[in-house]
Amino acid sequence: MNSFIYDIPVKVYFGENQLCHLSEELSKYGKRVLLTYGGGSIKKNGLYDKVVQEIKKAGLQIFELSGIEPNPRIESVREGTKICKEEKIDVLLAVGGGSTLDATKYMAAGACVNFDPWKFLSEWAPIEKALPVITILTLSATGSEMDAGGVISNLETQEKIGRMEYPLLPKVSFLDPTNTYTVSPYQTACGAADMISHILEVYFNMEQDFYMLDCFMEGMLKTIIKYTPIAMKEPQNYEARANLMWTSSWAINGFINGGKRQAWSCHPMEHELSAIYDITHGLGLAILTPRWMEYCLNETTVSKYVQFGTNVFGIDSSLEPIAIAKKSIEMLSTFLFKTLKLKSTFTEVGIEKKNFCSMAKKACKNSILQGFQPLSQQDIEKIFEMCL
């Protein structure tokens, strides 16, 4: 069991009608606010007006950057960084899903340096400080509201790169489940797949670590499995939306990691898919995850699948271990592709075999991806082929 440090100083206002605290929180960090958001859905559902009202109530000056894309682009980060510098922004307010939050974090860091923010990702330039970021979440998926990371795409170089650094942590996050009522069934399903992957990337690990963390992860997985179909069928079911929202935060805020040192597998592979094909991140993970699990199953790893299958899906523990393992993969696939109705193959979403070699090479950084099972370029190409 490895030692570790856990430090997530994000203040969370969870629940309905918490936005009344926004003005007081923003005021702590200055007078000039950059409001960032995506395609404009927050204007249609009335959230934009509520946010602006709160900002004006505090007497703060508002600047705006809209149009932040899914799989957020470095161009948006550059534009936000430019506004921060030119307008002497004090605090950034990100309203949206993970894409808006991720991009805003890098704007906040970019405002504090004299180089192109893409260097944070392409050259691993140091992130030593960032302007304060406050978030208002509208989509349960990435957990960016309570973690120190973000993923940015560069269409010119066909790269999608993520990074975790302490200065990128939001100062305050507002999590109101009612702000996710208008999320479509498809995006709800993709968000669930993203959460599941965040948990499984840590859960499938042969290191001996805290029993309580495995129980916690199994509880979150069961929560996602229980409440996602309800939220898809009843979009204004507060209990379902609330459970998914809080799970999305805790799935990736570092708590479940304990002292584990294992690298992730499916996320690096998926980043290469969406870097070229610009597919929804959660969908790419849904297609990849069961095939990755199948590829990594062997006599050494089977015990983890047995734990997963019996504790999460209630599979009969008296069955042969390999039978339980295969049944657990089957049940996860059924949930993702039948219950959530997500597409199940690369072919269905237009991903072609011709790019497998280059994508696999980038995913393992021309070396070995040291995940649950070490994956070479050839291993990753085989997993991609299983997804066709």
Side-chain angles (χ1 to χ4, degrees):
M1 186 180 293
N2 298 315
S3 300
F4 62 93
I5 298 171
Y6 182 66
D7 183 14
I8 303 293
V10 181
K11 184 176 183 178
V12 175
Y13 286 92
F14 191 97
E16 213 170 346
N17 302 319
Q18 294 278 32
L19 209 59
C20 62
H21 299 285
L22 178 61
S23 58
E24 65 186 81
E25 293 295 345
L26 285 170
S27 297
K28 294 177 182 178
Y29 299 102
K31 295 291 185 182
R32 299 167 75 83
V33 181
L34 175 59
L35 171 62
T36 62
Y37 53 98
S41 61
I42 65 168
K43 290 188 174 180
K44 296 176 184 176
N45 63 21
L47 180 57
Y48 173 86
D49 291 336
K50 294 177 183 177
V51 170
V52 170
Q53 181 180 356
E54 280 295 312
I55 298 173
K56 289 182 175 178
K57 185 172 74 175
L60 308 180
Q61 189 170 359
I62 309 173
F63 301 84
E64 294 188 22
L65 176 61
S66 62
I68 297 174
E69 317 85 352
N71 295 318
R73 317 282 195 260
I74 188 59
E75 287 81 8
S76 291
V77 175
R78 287 170 177 150
E79 180 62 23
T81 297
K82 180 182 177 184
I83 295 172
C84 287
K85 291 179 176 179
E86 290 180 350
E87 303 297 345
K88 296 180 172 54
I89 296 298
D90 298 312
V91 56
L92 294 87
L93 175 60
V95 184
S99 295
T100 296
L101 275 56
D102 283 7
T104 304
K105 290 177 179 180
Y106 284 101
M107 295 172 200
C112 299
V113 296
N114 294 318
F115 52 78
D116 179 20
W118 182 243
K119 289 187 178 181
F120 288 138
L121 300 155
S122 63
E123 300 179 18
W124 226 247
I127 301 178
E128 297 174 342
K129 62 180 180 177
L131 295 178
V133 173
I134 293 177
T135 79
I136 300 173
L137 188 65
T138 63
L139 174 63
S140 303
T142 70
S144 192
E145 67 278 2
M146 205 177 175
D147 74 16
V151 183
I152 303 298
S153 296
N154 187 327
L155 296 186
E156 184 179 343
T157 61
Q158 290 192 324
E159 292 177 289
K160 182 178 179 180
I161 305 174
R163 182 176 180 181
M164 290 271 189
E165 294 292 343
Y166 191 84
L168 298 180
L169 277 168
K171 299 296 183 184
V172 184
S173 287
F174 288 83
L175 276 59
D176 181 346
T178 65
N179 288 334
T180 65
Y181 281 178
T182 57
V183 175
S184 69
Y186 169 72
Q187 288 296 343
T188 300
C190 288
D194 196 4
M195 287 184 260
I196 288 171
S197 182
H198 291 162
I199 299 166
L200 295 185
E201 295 270 31
V202 180
Y203 182 83
F204 277 92
N205 191 315
M206 300 310 294
E207 290 184 38
Q208 293 299 312
D209 204 67
F210 287 110
Y211 170 78
M212 64 83 66
L213 288 179
D214 275 5
C215 293
F216 186 77
M217 286 186 272
E218 289 160 4
M220 287 196 294
L221 289 165
K222 291 165 75 173
T223 298
I224 297 165
I225 291 166
K226 175 179 179 177
Y227 283 108
T228 306
I230 296 173
M232 291 171 67
K233 185 178 180 180
E234 306 169 28
Q236 295 190 18
N237 185 305
Y238 187 88
E239 180 182 344
R241 293 295 192 182
N243 273 276
L244 293 175
M245 179 170 271
W246 201 219
T247 300
S248 79
S249 299
W250 283 90
I252 195 176
N253 68 5
F255 176 73
I256 63 174
N257 293 357
K260 296 182 179 69
R261 301 290 185 261
Q262 173 182 294
W264 287 16
S265 299
C266 290
H267 275 69
M269 289 190 282
E270 196 290 321
H271 287 169
E272 300 309 320
L273 305 180
S274 47
I276 295 176
Y277 297 98
D278 199 27
I279 65 169
T280 302
H281 177 57
L283 175 59
L285 289 170
I287 297 171
L288 277 167
T289 298
R291 279 68 182 226
W292 164 72
M293 290 173 62
E294 183 179 347
Y295 192 81
C296 293
L297 175 60
N298 55 48
E299 291 182 359
T300 303
T301 62
V302 68
S303 60
K304 199 67 192 183
Y305 293 78
V306 171
Q307 180 185 345
F308 172 66
T310 55
N311 292 351
V312 175
F313 286 112
I315 299 172
D316 184 354
S317 61
S318 67
L319 298 173
E320 289 294 320
I322 195 67
I324 296 173
K326 290 181 178 179
K327 182 68 174 177
S328 72
I329 299 171
E330 178 187 334
M331 293 185 74
L332 178 62
S333 298
T334 298
F335 176 72
L336 293 170
F337 306 133
K338 301 295 185 182
T339 304
L340 301 191
K341 298 180 172 59
L342 293 172
K343 293 178 180 177
S344 61
T345 66
F346 283 174
T347 304
E348 292 175 88
V349 296
I351 295 176
E352 304 165 296
K353 187 175 180 179
K354 67 179 183 180
N355 291 310
F356 284 2
C357 179
S358 61
M359 291 192 301
K361 186 175 182 179
K362 286 184 177 180
C364 67
K365 294 181 170 56
N366 205 24
S367 180
I368 299 294
L369 184 57
Q370 297 290 353
F372 178 48
Q373 288 287 278
L375 300 176
S376 67
Q377 177 183 333
Q378 290 72 31
D379 292 321
I380 296 171
E381 287 185 53
K382 289 176 183 177
I383 293 172
F384 285 163
E385 289 172 2
M386 293 168 69
C387 296
L388 284 171

